[in-house]
Amino acid sequence: MTEPTLYPVPGPYAGKTLLDEQGYLEMYRRSLEDSEGFWREQAQRLDWIRPFTQVKDVSFARDDLHIRWFADGTLNVAANCLDRHLAEHGDDTAILWVGDEPGTSREISYRELHSEVCRFANGLKSLGVQRGDVVTIYMPMIPQAAVAMLACARIGAVHSVVFAGFSPEALAGRMDDGQSRVVITANAGRRGGRSVVLKENVDRAIALCKETTVETAVVVNYTDDAVNMQPGRDVDYGELLAAQDEDCPPEEMGAEDPLFILYTSGSTGKPKGVLHSGGGYLTYTSLTHEYVFDYRRGERFWCAADIGWITGHSYIIYGPLANGATTVMYEGVPNYPDVTRVARIVDEHQIDVLYIAPTAIRALMAEGDRPTEGADLSSLRLLGTVGEPINPEAWRWYHRNFGRGQCPIVDTWWQTETGGALLTPLPGATALKPGSATRPFFGIRPALVDNDGNILEGAAEGNLVLLDSWPGQMRTVFGDHQRFADTYFSTFRDMYFTGDGARRDADGYYWITGRVDDVLNVSGHRMGTAELESALVAHPAVAEAAVVGFPHDIKGQGIYVYVTLNSGVEPSEEMHRTLRDWLRSEIGPIATPDVIQWAPGLPKTRSGKIMRRILRKIAADEYDQLGDISTLADPSVVEQLIDNHTRLA
Ligand code: WT7
């Protein structure tokens, strides 16, 4: 039996969603034809302190690059996420926290969350934090992480959340770049039944900082793990909170004032501080959260991401809370204590919407039907995926096993830079094709261009660009506007270049084919090959290194490392382990290489440029498709590399 390639809107959905197909098409058309009118109206979903009069002020020209939305309006993001829900929905659950250990959970109402955010915001003020200051957050998935983010927003401080899986070195680099003088952390977190130390990493990171002096570390003493508190610098979260008043008027912020920085990897250099501002970002995340998930108040919405990534910012914290939703925050991993955990959480807490990464789906799928065996799952109304292309086989497994063949799946394509989903189905409006992120959201003008920047019409494949701005777009690279222009607006004139390739079919559906630059997507985590390579060559044994991705059944892409050792250093099992551990400690466990291959030489052009195309082909076992290698300075290295590669297998 062949599987269907088109899944129409399921019957029980018809007429029950915010929009049907016709509704989507009309609203989409309006959002382009009268873009200012459309966004003026949509921004009314927020409470503004001073209403804006200007809607949009944007130029994508690389010499005059600026992106401003609702610029003369003022608001407070935390007040929009909390205060305005109190009168009628104060007792609704804001955060449903599910702990790592089965059976542990906690519901926090909007009133309770508001109270703790206000007190912690006052606590930050008492420590001298002022509007505009960058506050680093290095936290496990506990409610205090949300409190920390919202408390910053309340007082106009700019948060910089660093994924708790990053190493002290990586944390220090981010604190340095942000000139951050305050960090919020926990003694340890819990994941998969183990405690993960965090405070020790913070201590080491503070010692490594070169550009900033961290004056204060606020520590949530969450687990029983002993922690070293340095007097004068380290402050206990509980003690700080206990000393504070609950009255904390929200700071009046300009719509374009920065809300947060989040570091992400690109094809060159150090990770970039992607900067998002308040008014546009909250308008966009709130709007997409409502329409993409067809969200209704009272439903339990589970985005199984980490707050260390943009998905967590936009769809665990800001979008859902702006909409008065119940957002699920899960501390642990999808397979602890066993592969039935996700389904058990859905049943136990009667989750309505489940939004997870394809890598998690593939890992569960590898267990056959066991992950959902015996589960009811009838509370689920909608499924979503994000972070990487989903292969049709995994899509169907998810649809059948979690969706019982009835729930639509929204495959949402977006980036740290875009703030929220740009290409996505809407559950009641879009017939689905497994593996396609389908069509653009309101106000989004995607296009495909060839390598010369010519716009391709109709069914085509090319580089994915965006021709116009939307309110959730990043505003700049923190501290380096030139890098913002160079990275995104110089490849193709007057267009935002995503770094992704895509295909558009005859129905106008988009299919993301993956990155066209030197960025890897490993288990939904984005990593620059340049970042990995510079970490490798910093090791004294390494002369040269080249990193490429290769197809990996579960991770999507695996990390394949070619290393040339310094003369006098012999390849060995031990050296292999040393370099593996080195990458883990320089960047974090997510940078653990899948393969390290010793390379006596790397394939280079006569001008010395490494030909990664060849390295990618070898890593993918496609040596018969190497293409033209005659431009190599020394074509014989290729033989050698293939030889070494086949011996690895
Ligand atoms: C890159 C952005 C979106 C938040 C999480 C990742 C890839 C993302 C999809 C999707 C195919 C996807 C792209 C993109 N990507 N979503 N639905 N289908 N690819 O954010 O770390 O900034 O990574 O993830 O390659 O450029 P990020």
mmCIF file with all atom_site columns, all heavy atoms in Angstrom, residues 594-616:
data_model
loop_
_atom_site.group_PDB
_atom_site.id
_atom_site.type_symbol
_atom_site.label_atom_id
_atom_site.label_alt_id
_atom_site.label_comp_id
_atom_site.label_asym_id
_atom_site.label_entity_id
_atom_site.label_seq_id
_atom_site.pdbx_PDB_ins_code
_atom_site.Cartn_x
_atom_site.Cartn_y
_atom_site.Cartn_z
_atom_site.occupancy
_atom_site.B_iso_or_equiv
_atom_site.pdbx_formal_charge
_atom_site.auth_seq_id
_atom_site.auth_comp_id
_atom_site.auth_asym_id
_atom_site.auth_atom_id
_atom_site.pdbx_PDB_model_num
ATOM 1   N N   . ASP A 1 594 ? 30.844 12.657 15.938  1.00 0.00 ? 594 ASP A N   1
ATOM 2   C CA  . ASP A 1 594 ? 30.448 11.274 15.686  1.00 0.00 ? 594 ASP A CA  1
ATOM 3   C C   . ASP A 1 594 ? 31.599 10.491 15.078  1.00 0.00 ? 594 ASP A C   1
ATOM 4   O O   . ASP A 1 594 ? 31.764 9.310  15.349  1.00 0.00 ? 594 ASP A O   1
ATOM 5   C CB  . ASP A 1 594 ? 29.248 11.244 14.742  1.00 0.00 ? 594 ASP A CB  1
ATOM 6   C CG  . ASP A 1 594 ? 28.035 11.879 15.379  1.00 0.00 ? 594 ASP A CG  1
ATOM 7   O OD1 . ASP A 1 594 ? 27.365 11.192 16.160  1.00 0.00 ? 594 ASP A OD1 1
ATOM 8   O OD2 . ASP A 1 594 ? 27.790 13.077 15.145  1.00 0.00 ? 594 ASP A OD2 1
ATOM 9   N N   . VAL A 1 595 ? 32.376 11.162 14.230  1.00 0.00 ? 595 VAL A N   1
ATOM 10  C CA  . VAL A 1 595 ? 33.506 10.504 13.586  1.00 0.00 ? 595 VAL A CA  1
ATOM 11  C C   . VAL A 1 595 ? 34.703 11.454 13.610  1.00 0.00 ? 595 VAL A C   1
ATOM 12  O O   . VAL A 1 595 ? 34.556 12.644 13.325  1.00 0.00 ? 595 VAL A O   1
ATOM 13  C CB  . VAL A 1 595 ? 33.198 10.169 12.105  1.00 0.00 ? 595 VAL A CB  1
ATOM 14  C CG1 . VAL A 1 595 ? 34.376 9.442  11.466  1.00 0.00 ? 595 VAL A CG1 1
ATOM 15  C CG2 . VAL A 1 595 ? 31.919 9.349  11.970  1.00 0.00 ? 595 VAL A CG2 1
ATOM 16  N N   . ILE A 1 596 ? 35.861 10.911 13.982  1.00 0.00 ? 596 ILE A N   1
ATOM 17  C CA  . ILE A 1 596 ? 37.100 11.663 13.788  1.00 0.00 ? 596 ILE A CA  1
ATOM 18  C C   . ILE A 1 596 ? 37.965 10.850 12.837  1.00 0.00 ? 596 ILE A C   1
ATOM 19  O O   . ILE A 1 596 ? 38.246 9.677  13.107  1.00 0.00 ? 596 ILE A O   1
ATOM 20  C CB  . ILE A 1 596 ? 37.858 11.899 15.111  1.00 0.00 ? 596 ILE A CB  1
ATOM 21  C CG1 . ILE A 1 596 ? 37.005 12.742 16.082  1.00 0.00 ? 596 ILE A CG1 1
ATOM 22  C CG2 . ILE A 1 596 ? 39.191 12.598 14.853  1.00 0.00 ? 596 ILE A CG2 1
ATOM 23  C CD1 . ILE A 1 596 ? 37.655 12.973 17.442  1.00 0.00 ? 596 ILE A CD1 1
ATOM 24  N N   . GLN A 1 597 ? 38.321 11.426 11.749  1.00 0.00 ? 597 GLN A N   1
ATOM 25  C CA  . GLN A 1 597 ? 39.182 10.728 10.787  1.00 0.00 ? 597 GLN A CA  1
ATOM 26  C C   . GLN A 1 597 ? 40.514 11.445 10.687  1.00 0.00 ? 597 GLN A C   1
ATOM 27  O O   . GLN A 1 597 ? 40.570 12.664 10.522  1.00 0.00 ? 597 GLN A O   1
ATOM 28  C CB  . GLN A 1 597 ? 38.502 10.683 9.402   1.00 0.00 ? 597 GLN A CB  1
ATOM 29  C CG  . GLN A 1 597 ? 39.402 10.046 8.359   1.00 0.00 ? 597 GLN A CG  1
ATOM 30  C CD  . GLN A 1 597 ? 38.756 9.927  6.983   1.00 0.00 ? 597 GLN A CD  1
ATOM 31  O OE1 . GLN A 1 597 ? 37.542 9.844  6.850   1.00 0.00 ? 597 GLN A OE1 1
ATOM 32  N NE2 . GLN A 1 597 ? 39.580 9.913  5.947   1.00 0.00 ? 597 GLN A NE2 1
ATOM 33  N N   . TRP A 1 598 ? 41.598 10.666 10.791  1.00 0.00 ? 598 TRP A N   1
ATOM 34  C CA  . TRP A 1 598 ? 42.929 11.258 10.643  1.00 0.00 ? 598 TRP A CA  1
ATOM 35  C C   . TRP A 1 598 ? 43.170 11.549 9.175   1.00 0.00 ? 598 TRP A C   1
ATOM 36  O O   . TRP A 1 598 ? 42.900 10.732 8.315   1.00 0.00 ? 598 TRP A O   1
ATOM 37  C CB  . TRP A 1 598 ? 44.012 10.330 11.182  1.00 0.00 ? 598 TRP A CB  1
ATOM 38  C CG  . TRP A 1 598 ? 43.723 9.862  12.582  1.00 0.00 ? 598 TRP A CG  1
ATOM 39  C CD1 . TRP A 1 598 ? 43.521 8.572  12.987  1.00 0.00 ? 598 TRP A CD1 1
ATOM 40  C CD2 . TRP A 1 598 ? 43.591 10.675 13.747  1.00 0.00 ? 598 TRP A CD2 1
ATOM 41  N NE1 . TRP A 1 598 ? 43.264 8.534  14.332  1.00 0.00 ? 598 TRP A NE1 1
ATOM 42  C CE2 . TRP A 1 598 ? 43.303 9.806  14.832  1.00 0.00 ? 598 TRP A CE2 1
ATOM 43  C CE3 . TRP A 1 598 ? 43.683 12.044 14.002  1.00 0.00 ? 598 TRP A CE3 1
ATOM 44  C CZ2 . TRP A 1 598 ? 43.099 10.267 16.133  1.00 0.00 ? 598 TRP A CZ2 1
ATOM 45  C CZ3 . TRP A 1 598 ? 43.483 12.507 15.297  1.00 0.00 ? 598 TRP A CZ3 1
ATOM 46  C CH2 . TRP A 1 598 ? 43.203 11.628 16.343  1.00 0.00 ? 598 TRP A CH2 1
ATOM 47  N N   . ALA A 1 599 ? 43.639 12.732 8.891   1.00 0.00 ? 599 ALA A N   1
ATOM 48  C CA  . ALA A 1 599 ? 43.854 13.135 7.500   1.00 0.00 ? 599 ALA A CA  1
ATOM 49  C C   . ALA A 1 599 ? 45.269 13.666 7.345   1.00 0.00 ? 599 ALA A C   1
ATOM 50  O O   . ALA A 1 599 ? 45.581 14.747 7.818   1.00 0.00 ? 599 ALA A O   1
ATOM 51  C CB  . ALA A 1 599 ? 42.849 14.227 7.123   1.00 0.00 ? 599 ALA A CB  1
ATOM 52  N N   . PRO A 1 600 ? 46.126 12.895 6.680   1.00 0.00 ? 600 PRO A N   1
ATOM 53  C CA  . PRO A 1 600 ? 47.495 13.369 6.462   1.00 0.00 ? 600 PRO A CA  1
ATOM 54  C C   . PRO A 1 600 ? 47.498 14.700 5.718   1.00 0.00 ? 600 PRO A C   1
ATOM 55  O O   . PRO A 1 600 ? 48.375 15.526 5.906   1.00 0.00 ? 600 PRO A O   1
ATOM 56  C CB  . PRO A 1 600 ? 48.121 12.265 5.618   1.00 0.00 ? 600 PRO A CB  1
ATOM 57  C CG  . PRO A 1 600 ? 47.204 11.096 5.699   1.00 0.00 ? 600 PRO A CG  1
ATOM 58  C CD  . PRO A 1 600 ? 45.864 11.582 6.080   1.00 0.00 ? 600 PRO A CD  1
ATOM 59  N N   . GLY A 1 601 ? 46.487 14.903 4.862   1.00 0.00 ? 601 GLY A N   1
ATOM 60  C CA  . GLY A 1 601 ? 46.365 16.186 4.164   1.00 0.00 ? 601 GLY A CA  1
ATOM 61  C C   . GLY A 1 601 ? 44.906 16.461 3.889   1.00 0.00 ? 601 GLY A C   1
ATOM 62  O O   . GLY A 1 601 ? 44.087 15.541 3.894   1.00 0.00 ? 601 GLY A O   1
ATOM 63  N N   . LEU A 1 602 ? 44.559 17.728 3.665   1.00 0.00 ? 602 LEU A N   1
ATOM 64  C CA  . LEU A 1 602 ? 43.179 18.081 3.344   1.00 0.00 ? 602 LEU A CA  1
ATOM 65  C C   . LEU A 1 602 ? 43.110 18.548 1.894   1.00 0.00 ? 602 LEU A C   1
ATOM 66  O O   . LEU A 1 602 ? 44.078 19.110 1.376   1.00 0.00 ? 602 LEU A O   1
ATOM 67  C CB  . LEU A 1 602 ? 42.687 19.198 4.279   1.00 0.00 ? 602 LEU A CB  1
ATOM 68  C CG  . LEU A 1 602 ? 42.522 18.797 5.749   1.00 0.00 ? 602 LEU A CG  1
ATOM 69  C CD1 . LEU A 1 602 ? 42.260 20.026 6.617   1.00 0.00 ? 602 LEU A CD1 1
ATOM 70  C CD2 . LEU A 1 602 ? 41.401 17.778 5.915   1.00 0.00 ? 602 LEU A CD2 1
ATOM 71  N N   . PRO A 1 603 ? 41.973 18.315 1.234   1.00 0.00 ? 603 PRO A N   1
ATOM 72  C CA  . PRO A 1 603 ? 41.877 18.709 -0.177  1.00 0.00 ? 603 PRO A CA  1
ATOM 73  C C   . PRO A 1 603 ? 41.742 20.223 -0.309  1.00 0.00 ? 603 PRO A C   1
ATOM 74  O O   . PRO A 1 603 ? 40.753 20.794 0.138   1.00 0.00 ? 603 PRO A O   1
ATOM 75  C CB  . PRO A 1 603 ? 40.591 18.005 -0.648  1.00 0.00 ? 603 PRO A CB  1
ATOM 76  C CG  . PRO A 1 603 ? 39.783 17.769 0.585   1.00 0.00 ? 603 PRO A CG  1
ATOM 77  C CD  . PRO A 1 603 ? 40.735 17.685 1.735   1.00 0.00 ? 603 PRO A CD  1
ATOM 78  N N   . LYS A 1 604 ? 42.769 20.830 -0.899  1.00 0.00 ? 604 LYS A N   1
ATOM 79  C CA  . LYS A 1 604 ? 42.760 22.283 -1.002  1.00 0.00 ? 604 LYS A CA  1
ATOM 80  C C   . LYS A 1 604 ? 42.943 22.730 -2.443  1.00 0.00 ? 604 LYS A C   1
ATOM 81  O O   . LYS A 1 604 ? 43.631 22.070 -3.216  1.00 0.00 ? 604 LYS A O   1
ATOM 82  C CB  . LYS A 1 604 ? 43.909 22.863 -0.178  1.00 0.00 ? 604 LYS A CB  1
ATOM 83  C CG  . LYS A 1 604 ? 43.666 22.759 1.287   1.00 0.00 ? 604 LYS A CG  1
ATOM 84  C CD  . LYS A 1 604 ? 44.755 23.471 2.031   1.00 0.00 ? 604 LYS A CD  1
ATOM 85  C CE  . LYS A 1 604 ? 44.724 23.059 3.487   1.00 0.00 ? 604 LYS A CE  1
ATOM 86  N NZ  . LYS A 1 604 ? 45.980 23.355 4.142   1.00 0.00 ? 604 LYS A NZ  1
ATOM 87  N N   . THR A 1 605 ? 42.367 23.878 -2.738  1.00 0.00 ? 605 THR A N   1
ATOM 88  C CA  . THR A 1 605 ? 42.604 24.471 -4.050  1.00 0.00 ? 605 THR A CA  1
ATOM 89  C C   . THR A 1 605 ? 44.016 25.054 -4.043  1.00 0.00 ? 605 THR A C   1
ATOM 90  O O   . THR A 1 605 ? 44.650 25.151 -2.990  1.00 0.00 ? 605 THR A O   1
ATOM 91  C CB  . THR A 1 605 ? 41.619 25.617 -4.333  1.00 0.00 ? 605 THR A CB  1
ATOM 92  O OG1 . THR A 1 605 ? 41.815 26.612 -3.333  1.00 0.00 ? 605 THR A OG1 1
ATOM 93  C CG2 . THR A 1 605 ? 40.183 25.134 -4.300  1.00 0.00 ? 605 THR A CG2 1
ATOM 94  N N   . ARG A 1 606 ? 44.465 25.499 -5.216  1.00 0.00 ? 606 ARG A N   1
ATOM 95  C CA  . ARG A 1 606 ? 45.823 26.056 -5.252  1.00 0.00 ? 606 ARG A CA  1
ATOM 96  C C   . ARG A 1 606 ? 45.929 27.323 -4.426  1.00 0.00 ? 606 ARG A C   1
ATOM 97  O O   . ARG A 1 606 ? 46.991 27.692 -3.967  1.00 0.00 ? 606 ARG A O   1
ATOM 98  C CB  . ARG A 1 606 ? 46.258 26.283 -6.697  1.00 0.00 ? 606 ARG A CB  1
ATOM 99  C CG  . ARG A 1 606 ? 46.641 24.954 -7.309  1.00 0.00 ? 606 ARG A CG  1
ATOM 100 C CD  . ARG A 1 606 ? 47.063 25.058 -8.754  1.00 0.00 ? 606 ARG A CD  1
ATOM 101 N NE  . ARG A 1 606 ? 46.817 23.749 -9.357  1.00 0.00 ? 606 ARG A NE  1
ATOM 102 C CZ  . ARG A 1 606 ? 45.913 23.502 -10.274 1.00 0.00 ? 606 ARG A CZ  1
ATOM 103 N NH1 . ARG A 1 606 ? 45.197 24.484 -10.760 1.00 0.00 ? 606 ARG A NH1 1
ATOM 104 N NH2 . ARG A 1 606 ? 45.738 22.290 -10.725 1.00 0.00 ? 606 ARG A NH2 1
ATOM 105 N N   . SER A 1 607 ? 44.778 27.990 -4.221  1.00 0.00 ? 607 SER A N   1
ATOM 106 C CA  . SER A 1 607 ? 44.832 29.194 -3.379  1.00 0.00 ? 607 SER A CA  1
ATOM 107 C C   . SER A 1 607 ? 44.677 28.851 -1.889  1.00 0.00 ? 607 SER A C   1
ATOM 108 O O   . SER A 1 607 ? 44.596 29.730 -1.043  1.00 0.00 ? 607 SER A O   1
ATOM 109 C CB  . SER A 1 607 ? 43.756 30.190 -3.812  1.00 0.00 ? 607 SER A CB  1
ATOM 110 O OG  . SER A 1 607 ? 42.493 29.590 -3.679  1.00 0.00 ? 607 SER A OG  1
ATOM 111 N N   . GLY A 1 608 ? 44.618 27.546 -1.586  1.00 0.00 ? 608 GLY A N   1
ATOM 112 C CA  . GLY A 1 608 ? 44.639 27.150 -0.179  1.00 0.00 ? 608 GLY A CA  1
ATOM 113 C C   . GLY A 1 608 ? 43.273 26.998 0.476   1.00 0.00 ? 608 GLY A C   1
ATOM 114 O O   . GLY A 1 608 ? 43.173 26.801 1.685   1.00 0.00 ? 608 GLY A O   1
ATOM 115 N N   . LYS A 1 609 ? 42.207 27.069 -0.322  1.00 0.00 ? 609 LYS A N   1
ATOM 116 C CA  . LYS A 1 609 ? 40.875 26.947 0.259   1.00 0.00 ? 609 LYS A CA  1
ATOM 117 C C   . LYS A 1 609 ? 40.499 25.461 0.350   1.00 0.00 ? 609 LYS A C   1
ATOM 118 O O   . LYS A 1 609 ? 40.666 24.707 -0.611  1.00 0.00 ? 609 LYS A O   1
ATOM 119 C CB  . LYS A 1 609 ? 39.899 27.683 -0.667  1.00 0.00 ? 609 LYS A CB  1
ATOM 120 C CG  . LYS A 1 609 ? 38.558 27.958 -0.052  1.00 0.00 ? 609 LYS A CG  1
ATOM 121 C CD  . LYS A 1 609 ? 37.789 28.944 -0.951  1.00 0.00 ? 609 LYS A CD  1
ATOM 122 C CE  . LYS A 1 609 ? 36.387 29.191 -0.477  1.00 0.00 ? 609 LYS A CE  1
ATOM 123 N NZ  . LYS A 1 609 ? 35.501 28.084 -0.381  1.00 0.00 ? 609 LYS A NZ  1
ATOM 124 N N   . ILE A 1 610 ? 40.011 25.053 1.507   1.00 0.00 ? 610 ILE A N   1
ATOM 125 C CA  . ILE A 1 610 ? 39.612 23.659 1.672   1.00 0.00 ? 610 ILE A CA  1
ATOM 126 C C   . ILE A 1 610 ? 38.343 23.396 0.866   1.00 0.00 ? 610 ILE A C   1
ATOM 127 O O   . ILE A 1 610 ? 37.376 24.150 0.953   1.00 0.00 ? 610 ILE A O   1
ATOM 128 C CB  . ILE A 1 610 ? 39.356 23.329 3.162   1.00 0.00 ? 610 ILE A CB  1
ATOM 129 C CG1 . ILE A 1 610 ? 40.665 23.436 3.949   1.00 0.00 ? 610 ILE A CG1 1
ATOM 130 C CG2 . ILE A 1 610 ? 38.751 21.938 3.316   1.00 0.00 ? 610 ILE A CG2 1
ATOM 131 C CD1 . ILE A 1 610 ? 40.518 23.259 5.439   1.00 0.00 ? 610 ILE A CD1 1
ATOM 132 N N   . MET A 1 611 ? 38.350 22.342 0.078   1.00 0.00 ? 611 MET A N   1
ATOM 133 C CA  . MET A 1 611 ? 37.150 22.007 -0.698  1.00 0.00 ? 611 MET A CA  1
ATOM 134 C C   . MET A 1 611 ? 36.249 21.093 0.113   1.00 0.00 ? 611 MET A C   1
ATOM 135 O O   . MET A 1 611 ? 36.373 19.869 0.077   1.00 0.00 ? 611 MET A O   1
ATOM 136 C CB  . MET A 1 611 ? 37.534 21.386 -2.048  1.00 0.00 ? 611 MET A CB  1
ATOM 137 C CG  . MET A 1 611 ? 37.998 22.448 -3.027  1.00 0.00 ? 611 MET A CG  1
ATOM 138 S SD  . MET A 1 611 ? 38.444 21.780 -4.620  1.00 0.00 ? 611 MET A SD  1
ATOM 139 C CE  . MET A 1 611 ? 36.882 21.814 -5.470  1.00 0.00 ? 611 MET A CE  1
ATOM 140 N N   . ARG A 1 612 ? 35.338 21.723 0.806   1.00 0.00 ? 612 ARG A N   1
ATOM 141 C CA  . ARG A 1 612 ? 34.462 20.966 1.722   1.00 0.00 ? 612 ARG A CA  1
ATOM 142 C C   . ARG A 1 612 ? 33.520 20.040 1.003   1.00 0.00 ? 612 ARG A C   1
ATOM 143 O O   . ARG A 1 612 ? 33.103 19.030 1.555   1.00 0.00 ? 612 ARG A O   1
ATOM 144 C CB  . ARG A 1 612 ? 33.603 21.939 2.511   1.00 0.00 ? 612 ARG A CB  1
ATOM 145 C CG  . ARG A 1 612 ? 34.387 22.714 3.439   1.00 0.00 ? 612 ARG A CG  1
ATOM 146 C CD  . ARG A 1 612 ? 33.538 23.873 3.910   1.00 0.00 ? 612 ARG A CD  1
ATOM 147 N NE  . ARG A 1 612 ? 34.335 24.559 4.854   1.00 0.00 ? 612 ARG A NE  1
ATOM 148 C CZ  . ARG A 1 612 ? 34.565 24.070 6.062   1.00 0.00 ? 612 ARG A CZ  1
ATOM 149 N NH1 . ARG A 1 612 ? 33.962 22.990 6.477   1.00 0.00 ? 612 ARG A NH1 1
ATOM 150 N NH2 . ARG A 1 612 ? 35.369 24.687 6.865   1.00 0.00 ? 612 ARG A NH2 1
ATOM 151 N N   . ARG A 1 613 ? 33.186 20.423 -0.227  1.00 0.00 ? 613 ARG A N   1
ATOM 152 C CA  . ARG A 1 613 ? 32.286 19.589 -1.025  1.00 0.00 ? 613 ARG A CA  1
ATOM 153 C C   . ARG A 1 613 ? 32.815 18.150 -1.054  1.00 0.00 ? 613 ARG A C   1
ATOM 154 O O   . ARG A 1 613 ? 32.074 17.190 -0.847  1.00 0.00 ? 613 ARG A O   1
ATOM 155 C CB  . ARG A 1 613 ? 32.232 20.182 -2.437  1.00 0.00 ? 613 ARG A CB  1
ATOM 156 C CG  . ARG A 1 613 ? 31.447 19.422 -3.454  1.00 0.00 ? 613 ARG A CG  1
ATOM 157 C CD  . ARG A 1 613 ? 31.420 20.222 -4.765  1.00 0.00 ? 613 ARG A CD  1
ATOM 158 N NE  . ARG A 1 613 ? 32.766 20.538 -5.280  1.00 0.00 ? 613 ARG A NE  1
ATOM 159 C CZ  . ARG A 1 613 ? 33.481 19.739 -6.065  1.00 0.00 ? 613 ARG A CZ  1
ATOM 160 N NH1 . ARG A 1 613 ? 33.003 18.578 -6.429  1.00 0.00 ? 613 ARG A NH1 1
ATOM 161 N NH2 . ARG A 1 613 ? 34.672 20.101 -6.494  1.00 0.00 ? 613 ARG A NH2 1
ATOM 162 N N   . ILE A 1 614 ? 34.118 18.037 -1.251  1.00 0.00 ? 614 ILE A N   1
ATOM 163 C CA  . ILE A 1 614 ? 34.734 16.715 -1.337  1.00 0.00 ? 614 ILE A CA  1
ATOM 164 C C   . ILE A 1 614 ? 34.674 16.004 0.016   1.00 0.00 ? 614 ILE A C   1
ATOM 165 O O   . ILE A 1 614 ? 34.336 14.825 0.105   1.00 0.00 ? 614 ILE A O   1
ATOM 166 C CB  . ILE A 1 614 ? 36.195 16.856 -1.824  1.00 0.00 ? 614 ILE A CB  1
ATOM 167 C CG1 . ILE A 1 614 ? 36.169 17.360 -3.269  1.00 0.00 ? 614 ILE A CG1 1
ATOM 168 C CG2 . ILE A 1 614 ? 36.960 15.555 -1.681  1.00 0.00 ? 614 ILE A CG2 1
ATOM 169 C CD1 . ILE A 1 614 ? 37.532 17.691 -3.829  1.00 0.00 ? 614 ILE A CD1 1
ATOM 170 N N   . LEU A 1 615 ? 34.945 16.754 1.058   1.00 0.00 ? 615 LEU A N   1
ATOM 171 C CA  . LEU A 1 615 ? 34.923 16.151 2.399   1.00 0.00 ? 615 LEU A CA  1
ATOM 172 C C   . LEU A 1 615 ? 33.515 15.685 2.770   1.00 0.00 ? 615 LEU A C   1
ATOM 173 O O   . LEU A 1 615 ? 33.331 14.648 3.407   1.00 0.00 ? 615 LEU A O   1
ATOM 174 C CB  . LEU A 1 615 ? 35.438 17.161 3.427   1.00 0.00 ? 615 LEU A CB  1
ATOM 175 C CG  . LEU A 1 615 ? 36.913 17.549 3.241   1.00 0.00 ? 615 LEU A CG  1
ATOM 176 C CD1 . LEU A 1 615 ? 37.296 18.642 4.236   1.00 0.00 ? 615 LEU A CD1 1
ATOM 177 C CD2 . LEU A 1 615 ? 37.815 16.329 3.406   1.00 0.00 ? 615 LEU A CD2 1
ATOM 178 N N   . ARG A 1 616 ? 32.521 16.477 2.349   1.00 0.00 ? 616 ARG A N   1
ATOM 179 C CA  . ARG A 1 616 ? 31.125 16.089 2.624   1.00 0.00 ? 616 ARG A CA  1
ATOM 180 C C   . ARG A 1 616 ? 30.761 14.807 1.886   1.00 0.00 ? 616 ARG A C   1
ATOM 181 O O   . ARG A 1 616 ? 30.114 13.925 2.437   1.00 0.00 ? 616 ARG A O   1
ATOM 182 C CB  . ARG A 1 616 ? 30.169 17.214 2.187   1.00 0.00 ? 616 ARG A CB  1
ATOM 183 C CG  . ARG A 1 616 ? 30.000 18.306 3.236   1.00 0.00 ? 616 ARG A CG  1
ATOM 184 C CD  . ARG A 1 616 ? 28.807 19.201 2.935   1.00 0.00 ? 616 ARG A CD  1
ATOM 185 N NE  . ARG A 1 616 ? 29.041 20.059 1.785   1.00 0.00 ? 616 ARG A NE  1
ATOM 186 C CZ  . ARG A 1 616 ? 29.480 21.329 1.875   1.00 0.00 ? 616 ARG A CZ  1
ATOM 187 N NH1 . ARG A 1 616 ? 29.688 21.878 3.044   1.00 0.00 ? 616 ARG A NH1 1
ATOM 188 N NH2 . ARG A 1 616 ? 29.675 22.046 0.790   1.00 0.00 ? 616 ARG A NH2 1
#
